[in-house]
Amino acid sequence: QVQLVESGGGLAQAGGSLRLSCAASGRTFSSYSVGWFRQAPGKEREIVAAIYWSTGTTYYADSVKGRSTISRDNAKNTVYLQMSSLKLEDKAVYYCAARVGIIVVRSTRWDYWGQGTQVTVSS
């Protein structure tokens, strides 16, 4: 069974940086995509960034492009999301997700989810 455990959320100032970690276990993830989604109160869950494990192909939402980097550590089976130049609108619960196959945007097509980590951005 795939397990995803997020860490690294918390309080950050606008303009600051934060690194989220997703520790993945239960599978060999070479044929998986791992992504980060976020959900703010009253809004739908949206993709932030994703990486296709075997090739390292990445995807970024326009809202974070240029100020976020997703990466993976094969030895640790961990995916990171480094976010910088944080904005107030980045405040949300961030979820790690995994699916077999290529990156897709729609959250309903992802199979496995972590429990989420809160990111709060203050002015």
Side-chain angles (χ1 to χ4, degrees):
Q1 182 70 11
V2 173
Q3 286 190 318
L4 304 170
V5 179
E6 303 100 334
S7 61
L11 178 64
Q13 285 195 321
S17 298
L18 209 60
R19 190 178 79 158
L20 305 180
S21 301
C22 173
S25 61
R27 288 285 190 278
T28 300
F29 288 91
S30 57
S31 60
Y32 280 66
S33 292
V34 178
W36 285 96
F37 289 75
R38 67 186 181 188
Q39 189 166 21
K43 294 191 176 182
E44 291 188 355
R45 191 170 296 189
E46 61 177 4
I47 192 168
V48 176
I51 187 166
Y52 185 55
W53 200 286
S54 61
T55 63
T57 301
T58 57
Y59 168 86
Y60 296 94
D62 287 343
S63 58
V64 302
K65 197 175 293 183
R67 58 187 187 93
S68 295
T69 302
I70 189 169
S71 60
R72 69 195 183 314
D73 184 324
N74 290 330
K76 295 182 178 180
N77 251 21
T78 298
V79 172
Y80 303 99
L81 179 66
Q82 178 72 46
M83 300 181 66
S84 58
S85 302
L86 287 167
K87 303 178 180 180
L88 295 179
E89 51 263 42
D90 291 324
K91 177 183 176 180
V93 178
Y94 283 70
Y95 296 91
C96 180
R99 71 182 305 273
V100 177
I102 62 172
I103 297 166
V104 296
V105 172
R106 193 180 300 178
S107 63
T108 54
R109 296 185 64 186
W110 291 71
D111 304 307
Y112 305 98
W113 293 86
Q115 292 190 322
T117 186
Q118 176 71 50
V119 170
T120 301
V121 182
S122 64
S123 58

